[in-house]
Amino acid sequence: NRLAEISAEISSMGLSLRGVIEGNIGAGKSSVVNIFNKISGVEAIQESVKIWEELGILKDFYGDPKKFALLFQSVAFATRLASTSSSMITDDSSRVIISERSVWADRYCFAENLAEDGTMTEKEIKIYQIWHRILINGHLDKTVPDVIIYLRASPETCKRRQEIRARKSEDQIPLEYFQKLHSKHEEWLLKDDEWNPIAIGIPSHELSLTASG
Ligand code: TTP
């Protein structure tokens, strides 16, 4: 209710707000976006995981990360741009837009981690970064959110939640991968004052996810 009131207030003042929900795999981002989706006047943008699964590219990536990392990261980035483009190109005021993840998490958490652990070659990460720069060029102000809600959960909790939801394309993801992504989120969002997220601690016992995640 409080969220609904705040959203209504923002719109009634003729203001717009771009919010992003960030956090590790399994942190519960889609559940939070779903809550926003039920609030009238809020445009909630879900991530395109269904498309990644339909294309088979998420399964390919986990099956052979070295071979498919650049391709998967490119698809993830392209589909995110496609799903958020209307909010990026219109200058409408009175809009509250909440999206799951951002082009920044794709790059600073996932792509950088894949480069650092050697899954992507130096050439591949350079190519990814060039695409990233070119495609967001001119939209920079629209891709930087007004507010970031960071769902801060331990890697162990995220792994348990990911196992419970049992998405078909995700095999066994090792705890180490959750730990690396956790560090990447912490480094990116909490190490300096640039992003200033609202960090929400997710308790380890909060395991109310259903199999559909
Ligand atoms: P998430 O974006 O973390 O979505 P989720 O449904 O796991 O999140 P939550 O449980 O919090 O709602 O990741 C979806 C899958 O895509 C996951 O296997 C990680 C993978 N992924 C990448 O490998 N690279 C990327 O850049 C992104 C955005 C996701």
Side-chain angles (χ1 to χ4, degrees), residues 16-176:
S16 68
L17 180 128
R18 268 188 198 81
V20 170
I21 315 295
E22 299 284 5
N24 207 342
I25 299 169
K29 298 175 296 297
S30 15
S31 309
V32 173
V33 172
N34 275 335
I35 296 172
F36 276 102
N37 201 24
K38 294 192 182 106
I39 300 174
S40 123
V42 175
E43 192 179 329
I45 304 174
Q46 295 277 7
E47 202 168 44
S48 308
V49 183
K50 267 200 188 132
I51 299 178
W52 308 343
E53 291 205 282
E54 279 161 19
L55 284 172
I57 190 68
L58 188 60
K59 196 169 178 44
D60 287 345
F61 168 67
Y62 282 114
D64 190 345
K66 267 188 187 295
K67 182 170 175 189
F68 290 105
L70 176 59
L71 191 59
F72 177 64
Q73 287 306 132
S74 306
V75 170
F77 180 47
T79 50
R80 185 173 318 286
L81 278 183
S83 65
T84 52
S85 59
S86 70
S87 62
M88 279 167 60
I89 53 179
T90 46
D91 262 331
D92 249 9
S93 52
S94 323
R95 292 174 81 193
V96 178
I97 299 161
I98 303 291
S99 58
E100 182 176 355
R101 286 206 191 279
S102 60
V103 290
W104 303 106
D106 296 356
R107 176 168 171 174
Y108 292 140
C109 297
F110 286 95
E112 277 191 8
N113 179 54
L114 292 167
E116 281 167 23
D117 74 6
T119 306
M120 275 209 249
T121 62
E122 266 180 43
K123 208 183 279 176
E124 286 172 328
I125 187 70
K126 265 195 195 134
I127 292 169
Y128 175 83
Q129 285 168 346
I130 289 169
W131 273 120
H132 202 277
R133 211 170 306 126
I134 291 173
L135 288 172
I136 61 169
N137 196 20
H139 300 299
L140 200 58
D141 55 331
K142 306 274 171 57
T143 63
V144 176
D146 302 309
V147 60
I148 296 179
I149 298 175
Y150 172 31
L151 304 186
R152 200 170 179 221
S154 75
E156 289 78 10
T157 299
C158 292
K159 181 168 165 55
R160 269 207 310 280
R161 293 172 71 120
Q162 181 265 330
E163 284 166 355
I164 290 169
R165 95 175 156 210
R167 194 178 267 149
K168 273 196 199 125
S169 315
E170 291 171 344
D171 294 337
Q172 275 285 330
I173 304 179
L175 179 61
E176 197 197 354

Side-chain angles (χ1 to χ4, degrees), residues 191-208:
K191 287 271 155 72
D192 56 41
D193 290 340
E194 198 186 346
W195 298 89
N196 270 325
I198 298 169
I200 298 178
I202 305 295
S204 58
H205 58 267
E206 205 197 311
L207 290 169
S208 56

